[in-house]
């Protein structure tokens, strides 16, 4: 019995390793029309104001209607130079966020973002979504440098990126306005060789950071 259980675990680990969008906690998939209510609920959560990472033509702070969210999901589905995928919790099948990799003008330098419903944060879902997204970009595209852009007031987001190997690489000054004050956009990036080194360290049980 123990041997059978161990064989089953090894098969699952092998299956997950071969499925670039499948993790232990979450999976990434294309958005579907029925996802709109879940997306509307988490995008309108007060904790995500200013960091929704929705298309530029939609507000990042104002309340979003069901019609607007339907249009957002449609735009995500029509993305050509990149991908925006639903983050689906394995245990419940519920859409709990979205993950984006976008290379509008240069596939060697895509930008990424991961948004998780605040009700499901601090459970490892965002970390696994980012790991799957990075794996896709570095294993299946010519990406050499992956960048994320974060408001300077979003300290939580900057700490999250740093934990996953990203480094501060510059900023766009006075790029936005929040509560009457200008803020900067902070650029953080991860090089292909850094990601590979993190993978090797994790595999070897070393002290390096696993992406």
């Amino acid at each position: 019995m123990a041997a059978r259980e161990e064989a089953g675990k090894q098969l699952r680990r092998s299956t997950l390793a071969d499925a670039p969008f499948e993790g232990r906690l979450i999976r990434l998939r294309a958005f579907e029309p029925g996802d709109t209510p879940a997306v509307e609920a988490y995008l309108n959560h007060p904790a995500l104001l200013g960091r929704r990472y929705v298309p530029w033509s939609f507000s990042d702070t104002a309340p979003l209607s069901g019609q607007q969210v339907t249009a957002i999901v449609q735009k995500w589905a029509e993305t050509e130079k990149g991908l925006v995928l639903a983050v689906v919790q394995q245990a419940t099948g519920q859409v709990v966020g979205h993950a984006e990799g976008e290379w509008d003008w240069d596939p060697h330098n895509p930008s990424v973002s991961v948004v998780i419903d605040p009700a499901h944060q601090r459970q490892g879902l965002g970390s696994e979504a980012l790991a799957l997204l990075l794996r896709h970009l570095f294993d299946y595209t010519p990406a050499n440098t992956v960048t994320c852009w974060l408001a300077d007031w979003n300290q939580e987001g900057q700490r999250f990126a740093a934990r996953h190997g990203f480094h501060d690489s510059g900023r766009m000054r006075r790029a936005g306005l929040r509560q009457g004050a200008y803020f900067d956009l902070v650029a953080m990036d991860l090089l292909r060789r850094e990601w590979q080194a993190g993978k090797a360290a994790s595999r070897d049980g070393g002290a390096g950071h696993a992406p």
Side-chain angles (χ1 to χ4, degrees):
M1 178 67 72
R4 187 180 304 132
E5 290 179 354
E6 181 59 29
K9 289 180 182 178
Q10 291 179 355
L11 177 61
R12 174 156 179 78
R13 284 195 293 268
S14 175
T15 300
L16 290 177
D18 294 335
F21 296 113
E22 191 88 9
R24 184 176 60 86
L25 301 174
I26 61 99
R27 60 189 172 93
L28 302 179
R29 64 156 172 79
F31 274 99
E32 301 170 354
D35 297 332
T36 300
V39 177
E40 181 180 358
Y42 76 74
L43 286 184
N44 279 309
H45 194 290
L48 290 184
L49 296 184
R51 47 184 172 181
R52 291 169 172 164
Y53 291 94
V54 293
W56 290 106
S57 53
F58 295 90
S59 174
D60 205 31
T61 55
L64 295 169
S65 68
Q67 184 177 357
Q68 287 174 311
V69 175
T70 297
I72 289 171
V73 171
Q74 183 63 34
K75 276 186 174 292
W76 284 342
E78 295 172 352
T79 299
E80 294 181 358
K81 295 183 178 180
L83 71 168
V84 187
L85 300 173
V87 179
V88 179
Q89 190 173 29
Q90 295 280 31
T92 63
Q94 181 180 352
V95 173
V96 295
H98 61 275
E100 178 179 15
E102 184 266 330
W103 51 85
D104 186 32
W105 60 276
D106 185 2
H108 297 89
N109 182 24
S111 61
V112 296
S113 60
V114 174
V115 177
I116 299 295
D117 182 341
H120 295 275
Q121 292 179 3
R122 296 177 177 80
Q123 299 175 28
L125 309 185
S127 292
E128 194 165 85
L130 179 59
L132 292 173
L133 187 58
L134 290 174
R135 178 185 172 188
H136 171 74
L137 291 172
F138 285 126
D139 277 355
Y140 295 91
T141 80
N144 183 62
T145 306
V146 173
T147 304
C148 60
W149 291 89
L150 300 143
D152 62 6
W153 53 262
N154 186 3
Q155 298 294 317
E156 183 181 14
Q158 292 173 54
R159 288 192 296 269
F160 174 81
R163 285 199 305 272
H164 292 82
F166 285 77
H167 301 275
D168 192 327
S169 59
R171 63 179 55 212
M172 186 184 298
R173 296 183 298 166
R174 297 168 68 89
L177 196 65
R178 176 180 170 85
Q179 296 178 344
Y182 284 104
F183 64 85
D184 296 348
L185 277 181
V186 177
M188 300 183 69
D189 64 24
L190 176 67
L191 302 178
R192 174 183 289 272
R193 60 179 171 80
E194 294 170 339
W195 178 80
Q196 291 172 332
K199 270 201 346 177
S202 177
R203 187 168 54 247
D204 295 340
H209 181 87

